[in-house]
Amino acid sequence: MGRLIKVTSGNTVLVPLIAILLGLLTGAVVMLIGGYNPIVAYAALLERVFGNIYDFGETIRQITPLILTGLSVAFAFRTGLFNIGAEGQFILGMTGATLIGDQVSLPAYIHLPLAIIVGALLGGFWGAIAGWLKAKRGVNEVISTIMLNWIALYLGNYIVKAFLLEPGMQDSRIIKSTAILSVDWLTNLFDGARVHWGILIALLAAYAFYLILWKTKQGFELRAVGLNPYAAEYAGMNVGRNIMKAMFIGGVFAGLAGAFEILGVFHYQSIASAFPGYGLDGIAVSLLGMNSPLGVVLAACLFGVLTYGSAGMSFAADVPPELIRVVIGAIIFFIAAQAIVRLIIAPFYAKRNKAQGGS
Amino acid sequence: MSTNVPVVELLGITKRFPGIVANDAISLKLHKGEILALLGENGAGKSTLMNILFGLYQPDEGEIQMNGKPVIIDSPNTAISLGIGMVHQHFKLVQPFTVTENIVLGMEPRKGMNIDYQAATRKVKELSEQYGLSIDPNARIADISVGMQQRVEIVKTLFRGADILIFDEPTAVLTPQEIEELMAILRKLVAEGKSIILITHKLKEIMQIADTVTIIRRGKVIDTVKKTETNTQHLAEQMVGRKVSFQVDKKPSQPKLPVLEVRGLHCHGPRGEEALNGITFGVRAGEILGIAGVDGNGQSELIEVLTGLRKSYRGDVAINSTNVTNWSPRKITESGLAHIPEDRHKRGLVLDFSVSENLVLETYFYPQFNKNGLLSYDAIDRHAEKLIERYDIRTPSIHSVIRSLSGGNQQKVIIAREIERNPELLIAAQPTRGLDVGAIEFVHRQLIEQRDKGKAVLLISFELDEIRNVSDRIAVIYEGQIVGEVMPHETTDQELGLMMAGSKESKEGGDKHGSTH
Amino acid sequence: KPSPTSEANPSPGASPGGAAGSGKDFKFGMVTDVGGINDKSFNQSAWEALQKLGKDTGANVKYLQSKSDADFVPNLNQFVKGKYNLTWGIGFIIEKALKQVAQQNPDAKLAIVDNVVDLPNVTSVTFAEQEGSFLVGVIAGLMTKTNKIGFVGGMDIPVIKRFEAGFRAGIKAANPQAQLITNYTGTFDKPDLGKSAAATLYNGGADIIFPSAGATGSGVFNEAKDRSKAGKKVWVIGVDKDQSVEFGTDITLTSMIKRVDEAVYKICNDMIAGNFKGGQVTNLGLKDNGVGIADNSNINVPEDVLKKVEEYKAKIISGEIKVPDK
Amino acid sequence: MEFLNLLGQTINITLVFSTALILAGLGGVFSERSGVINIGLEGIMIAGAFGAAVFSYYAEDAGMGELSPYIGLLAAILLGVIFAWIHAIASIRFKANQVVSGVVINFLALGMTVYLVKLLFEGSGQSPTLQFAFTKLTIPGVTDIPFIGTVLHAYPTTYLAIILVFIAYYVLYRTPFGLRLRAVGEHPSAADTVGVQVLRTRYIGVLLSGVLAGLGGATITLTTTSMFSHNTISGQGFIAIAAMIFGKWHPVGVFGAACFFGLSQALKDLLQMYGLSNWIPSEFIYMLPYLFTVLVLIGAVSRAYPPAALGEPYDPGKR
Ligand SMILES: Nc1ncnc2c1ncn2[C@@H]1O[C@H](COP(=O)(O)OP(=O)(O)OP(=O)(O)O)[C@@H](O)[C@H]1O
Ligand SMILES: Nc1ncnc2c1ncn2[C@@H]1O[C@H](COP(=O)(O)OP(=O)(O)OP(=O)(O)O)[C@@H](O)[C@H]1O
Ligand SMILES: [Mg+2]
Ligand SMILES: [Mg+2]
């Protein structure tokens, strides 16, 4: 309880809020320079997200993978690693889910969990490769994850093309209905939006993130290794194995995100020429959320609302949707450079303190 | 010796940090050609004061005068231009650079657009010869001994034409030989007309070299005395504010069965050199074996092999007759070994963990803290509270990050953690480095208590006093081998020093790594 | 076939006249793939057609660019739920998304280019790219001096394979000696990869390259331009549109035209006129003028070669030659 | 002869591919050697690519002809510096987490440039195709020499990049500025105590990375794509970071690493040329450059150590 108060009081809440405000303000200025009306644009953005239940549902759909890739990056950060590889882990998650969804025939209560688990494990495996490279061969994880992303992209394409292709098409067959995660009544509730149970699991994953790192023996080791590998080694922890575990767990989060995209949203996998982008966005989400599970969830919501809403902004106000990247960038900028925000709010504080002192 | 107008005078310097007044209206005077010693406990505010004089911090109140005129020192640059040089507590040397590069950095002699390395090297050689500071201008800092690094620091200040030299705990990391050399250098500098401020916890050094002593406690000047008018006991009492005993009082030891046996151990060092060369020795239950030696003769590697942090390729280590050679650190600690590491920040602590987390760094997986993979933070906190009480660890709370504790208290955390594990064998490496007399007293008492409980203790230290005061038996290490064993009361500093220098040859001061092969 | 009548769409105002200028009450939406409306390819063609339609008839036209595959469905839905009269999905890859939206909204009308969605409320337009590619293959086969011809593909997928197959067959028919070297870059939007692929092919002796790779293909033109500036004569065959307009006739030998614009325009116009036909697949080949070679081909292609091309064209239209599509 | 020709062409294409990576990688070296992580290379390259494409287009419009790409280069430097400056402000002045600040640059650069392109070119997602992009230098007499001529038939930017490798080496290892820059990245407080202006030196390091990565981005628009769109730079900045780490933060090492990436890209085309795509699925050929890198890293014997103070904001009061 005391901890909760500490987290939600004072600057920890005020600074991000003001950063968001400043970010939106930056976007508004850029729009004004471009001759657009920011009020109309932001209204259109909100309208798109909250205007009807369908779009609201789709926004949730957009948020789900962002939470998970954000957790993936944040988990690695917490253990002293920089995971640029959520992108590749995500793709392997998709591929695993599609493979199981297409190739296996099982009753739904086994098929669906199996598809999710295999997707998650493949994502974890892909992360663990980078972990292994670092632990055993001293390969910087930044390089290896960048390379593994590209390898995953083409590996995924190859698997789709070689084993899963719908003849004459550029994507896989639709997975079997027993592996589909979409929930009809939920979709109907949201007027056809592709909402699925993944959001619930993503929130559970955030909680699991917290439990693993701060409540378990394993998490104690992971954090110790992340903060000071030499002391961890001294204390008898196996640094290499913990690095691999950390990357594995991070990969599982990203793999889950990929699996849900297939099982809950697309139901098929395309041969892609470019990355889905959730992995790189996950870096931003994780940083925006200051690498804490609750922060990541909130950041993913903000991120998802802004990106999904940007289409409405461009539709109704003709503002190029890329503007929203400027807004997100500015928000992260102000959160990162908190000193600026404090500089801005300092006068208000001073005034308030004076007022209090006087009374 | 001193004229009337001091070269430096601090007047009412006050410096506040959040929650603490580090310097509280401190005034002091330094006269030309004088060595002024600053004495005080850990955290008394000595480094802070000197950082202010050197322009790294700005005082909140007070004034600095030089030769009677007020000056404002707003950056190290200004300090340097006013002729102030500082040798910092933690050396300010760029590891991958050469000695010359470090010395000329910021004032590089030029030829066209290039650095004139020839001129630089020449100048460095000149200076080192002039003051008798033997250094190798072309060696990389990462490859040279701590003693040579310190000489580099001194040449660095001289290169900048400093007349006022500040030394912040210069001897904390030096071997006795190196300390002797430093004392000689300080005398020489003073003879050349320089003035020196010296911070040290070693009262012996103060009595040896200082002219005046200023004692600081909790940010305030307690007293300033002439060296000739005081003695170590008095200084120590003024500094800590209570009586301190220097002589460790202990009963004679009663060694029993051997606990640690090391036979013909070999291993490679970080640069692939032969670090241990068939070292053989043993420690018995109920005794403290002190290993004396000059830094870099295999002490670090020995500890690493004993604790499982480094692999040996020949020879073996047994604890209680169990061969534990090349076991993992975890298995070795579980077989009854505890270890106070020489670098507490690198190995001993996770600085961003809380005090209570650091206290279970090696035992978090024990059943009392860990139920089916879940940690019981209640149990961990209770454990921490108990140890804080028992070992008198001064911390605002068990949840404070350990980074915010003083060095002495950080060391207490490590000692508490290691001793609480009730080991058969305790390895203590440089356990009192940088600690004030009060903290040192505490550490030594703990080591002896362990011995008295029938544990085996292996003490590795560069401090001859410590080795001689605490150990029951002394082994001298030289180039990865034990070259001799003596009893503390049967030997002299001279004899030990000779053994540490390897047989009877006189020791070449300088780069021992370069000369190892 | 159960074809839904216009009563499903409550916009009777347009049906009587049907002529240009009466489309004011009509709204046409278009969802691009990630290429966007400046892809120098089908998205651009389709959008140009819609803009022309808007100008000609006063119809309301709008497009949405997809930032990722996940955007297809919400973007289509934006139009469908906004009661647009017809919503276009442009590109092969949008098929599954469009199918899903069409199924969920049986009252809405949709259309797709380059792929087939077999639903009563969707009309599909595809092209026999292999037929047009065959013709430029003939030109390449007859005009190569090195007997080496290059093909740069975007992704290794069925549509592009159609281009390659037709091109290969055309070359073989006209010049059995000529060798076709292919290079798939793996993307449709990386001119730099197209450029290096072209460099390798030209270095390897090819003197004509046919890129079918979207924006990646403009890299092929850039490389050809570089070489021709350095005094080495090489050719590129344009694709989808007359690319000599953008890259000049000194390097563009001819172009294989794919009339996405005409198809889009016609289907929209038909709808204004009240005769939208759902559940239909329009496959446009040589005989419908849906594919072909650029009108200005005679600038670089000699008379006799063009005559050969006409002969082959006639044979294909008559069915005498069946162009492979794989 | 045939082989020599092929080798020459391969080296040539390798250099073409490597140029942008060399430039951006050198940029990374200057920033990180001064102690500032630069994950924002990608964004700076985007800014440079944008600046080059747009400004040389307007220069063409103003009738500057063959001079236009040089205007583009200058603009790329300017834009690169602007974005690097944002990174510098945030991470040096305001002590923000440098990784975060770099990610910010990537976001801002992509958002801003595409937004501006749409604004400037009536909603078009890309800038118009340039008519006067750089062409390969034809040196009379040299270009016709069999092997050497083929290798040297390169873009001016390639020459620029190679010259800059030497200049960077010279600056970092021969000049006082280089010594100070490296000192600041290794041990800022040591540099501070000898009067080196830590923050200012870091500013210069980061801004230089703006110059170089901006040039790297410009290389791509001015030599290969001839226009700018949202994915003109898609991952090259990250590959440049990999090249910088792989090259051990050393200009010559970066040159080697960048050439390695360039070569594996060139191999990808060559393998298809010689019909290997009939045997190996094309996906595996695309994978090759990246797989190759991982394998080389696994085999690499010596580890690379980053500058000791990399990533730590300098705070004189902190110990
Ligand atoms: N950067 C800082 N931020 C906050 N407080 C500080 C800082 N530096 C020093 N202090 C405070 O100032 C006091 C004096 O510290 P200082 O380092 O000057 O002690 P010292 O006398 O040099 O100790 P030691 O003998 O252990 O070196 C400390 O107790 C600490 O609380
Ligand atoms: N970053 C910091 N913020 C606040 N207080 C600090 C900080 N670092 C150190 N201190 C305080 O400074 C005082 C002295 O610290 P210092 O590190 O000089 O201790 P020390 O005994 O000299 O240790 P050592 O010399 O072994 O590093 C301690 O009381 C500690 O609480
Ligand atoms: Mg101190
Ligand atoms: Mg100290």
Side-chain angles (χ1 to χ4, degrees), chain D residues 76-157:
Chain D
I77 292 177
L78 181 73
L79 268 121
V81 166
I82 290 176
F83 278 89
W85 184 71
I86 299 176
H87 183 40
I89 292 269
S91 58
I92 302 172
R93 164 83 175 79
F94 288 102
K95 303 186 176 26
N97 179 312
Q98 297 169 2
V99 171
V100 183
S101 164
V103 169
V104 166
I105 299 309
N106 293 341
F107 264 80
L108 287 183
L110 188 62
M112 249 354 243
T113 55
V114 179
Y115 176 80
L116 285 175
V117 163
K118 289 193 170 171
L119 217 62
L120 294 173
F121 304 108
E122 288 147 11
S124 164
Q126 63 190 50
S127 70
T129 304
L130 299 175
Q131 300 306 317
F132 292 98
F134 282 121
T135 48
K136 292 183 174 175
L137 286 182
T138 313
I139 313 164
V142 176
T143 306
D144 298 326
I145 306 171
F147 174 72
I148 299 173
T150 318
V151 171
L152 293 183
H153 187 52
Y155 297 104
T157 44

Side-chain angles (χ1 to χ4, degrees), chain B residues 15-18 20-23 40-49 51 57 89 168-169 199 201 216 404 406-408 434-436, chain D residues 316-319:
Chain B
K15 177 73 184 172
R16 299 182 192 92
F17 287 117
I20 189 162
V21 185
N23 292 163
E41 291 181 282
N42 289 134
K46 309 177 293 290
S47 299
T48 304
L49 188 66
N51 285 336
Y57 294 164
Q89 187 168 358
D168 192 353
E169 287 192 46
I199 299 176
H201 291 296
I216 299 178
S404 66
S406 74
L435 300 190
D436 65 38
Chain D
K318 199 183 156 189
R319 292 169 300 171

Side-chain angles (χ1 to χ4, degrees), chain B residues 17 47-48 51 54 56-57 76-77 80 88-97 101-110 113-115 117 156 160 403, chain D residues 33 170-197 307-308 314-319:
Chain B
F17 287 117
S47 299
T48 304
N51 285 336
F54 192 59
L56 280 167
Y57 294 164
N77 247 342
I80 291 167
H88 295 265
Q89 187 168 358
H90 303 284
F91 295 155
K92 307 272 184 189
L93 295 171
V94 184
Q95 291 290 320
F97 282 12
E101 282 172 332
N102 267 289
I103 291 171
V104 301
L105 180 63
M107 288 183 70
E108 307 84 356
R110 296 170 194 226
M113 296 209 314
N114 293 20
I115 299 177
Y117 277 107
K156 223 166 98 181
R160 286 167 174 70
R403 186 184 288 283
Chain D
R33 277 286 181 181
Y170 173 82
V171 168
L172 280 174
Y173 292 96
R174 289 282 173 271
T175 66
F177 169 73
L179 189 73
R180 294 173 187 193
L181 185 94
R182 287 183 292 130
V184 158
E186 288 290 340
H187 197 332
S189 81
D192 192 7
T193 52
V194 293
V196 175
Q197 306 237 339
Y314 179 57
D315 182 352
K318 199 183 156 189
R319 292 169 300 171

Side-chain angles (χ1 to χ4, degrees), chain C residues 201-216:
Chain C
L201 290 173
Y202 285 135
N203 282 343
D207 58 348
I208 303 173
I209 296 179
F210 179 37
S212 173
T216 302

